[in-house]
Amino acid sequence: MDLEQLRQKWQGLDSDHSLDVENISYINEVKTHSRIGRLRRYFAVMSVVALLWVALFPIVLWNMEVPRFIIIYGAVFFAVMGVMIIFVYRSLKVLDPGRQTVVEALQTVCRVQVLRRIHRQVGYLMALPLLAVMIYYFYMISMPMFYGGLAGAVIGLCIGVVNDRKASRLIASIRSELEM
């Protein structure tokens, strides 16, 4: 195929498939549903993980020299976090831009943002004392355990911040698409 044939085929392409307003709104709706689906899956997995740690936390720390109140407080912490994540997940289940008006969808997104903010603040308030006491007792038990606890706290904080930023960006992009 030479250049002239390629040029003729290029000019002969059918240009009737132009994007109109309906196609653009459909594409935006598909993108929005994709983001909502990702957020739903993320919060479903996070709720399962948090509720799983309600049972695993006592099992992991039971045979160590850690006081029982730390084990109970840790299990309560993960239970509260799991329940709060379930609230966010349930708010996302209600979000359906295809069936809701734009105002209702925006209200739902705002409710999700408020629930996440409350979840984050309660999580920090509950996690900081737990981490401080755990690291203190790890220090009393052994130095390798202390260093492992510090490393785990730093790594967990980094993972949490990255996941939180990703979820925040997804929610913000859904909100900005709804506000268009």
Side-chain angles (χ1 to χ4, degrees), residues 35-44 92 167 170-171 174:
R35 288 185 182 120
I36 293 169
R38 277 191 285 177
L39 278 171
R40 285 180 186 153
R41 284 189 301 276
Y42 170 75
F43 284 108
L92 282 169
L170 282 172
I171 292 171
I174 292 169

Side-chain angles (χ1 to χ4, degrees), residues 102-161:
V102 174
V103 173
E104 290 171 341
L106 277 172
Q107 287 173 342
T108 305
V109 170
C110 289
R111 190 173 326 118
V112 167
Q113 286 178 322
V114 168
L115 285 173
R116 287 197 65 248
R117 189 173 302 122
I118 292 169
H119 170 246
R120 196 170 32 239
Q121 291 169 351
V122 169
Y124 288 149
L125 288 175
M126 288 183 73
L128 289 176
L130 177 65
L131 285 173
V133 172
M134 281 180 60
I135 288 175
Y136 171 75
Y137 278 101
F138 289 167
Y139 177 76
M140 299 306 274
I141 293 171
S142 73
M143 286 311 284
M145 196 169 190
F146 171 71
Y147 292 132
L150 283 179
V154 169
I155 291 169
L157 177 66
C158 293
I159 291 171
V161 167

